[in-house]
Amino acid sequence: MHRTGAVVGALLALFATGPAARAAATESGADDASLLYLSSGDWQRQSAPRKVALAADFMRIFCTDQRMSASSLADCLDHDKADGALFERAMACVSALSAGR
């Protein structure tokens, strides 16, 4: 339950600044973009090192269980063609690892 509360708190903080952060990411050429704001197409256009950096940032902020490496998350997102926002797909990748304990 504590983990869920931490994730919800982090999401609420991000959603409160969402439009401003998204606009800033767009203006800066997405160099400062978060996985939270990328579309699937944006993800596919990222270089492999940038994907790993975005995945590492996502893991640092949203995952208390760090058993999945950033490169594994990036690989999961590259191969997962499910519909939905990239953020939701990332959460599903991490959850699938946790469920397989």
Side-chain angles (χ1 to χ4, degrees), residues 19-67:
R22 183 176 296 157
T26 302
E27 290 172 10
S28 70
D31 285 343
D32 297 327
S34 165
L35 189 141
L36 181 65
Y37 301 113
L38 292 179
S39 68
S40 294
D42 292 335
W43 174 260
Q44 294 304 322
R45 287 188 288 276
Q46 303 299 312
S47 67
R50 181 72 179 136
K51 287 179 179 180
V52 172
L54 288 164
D57 187 53
F58 171 86
M59 296 294 291
R60 180 183 57 79
I61 295 169
F62 295 104
C63 300
T64 56
D65 184 351
Q66 296 284 323
R67 284 187 280 165

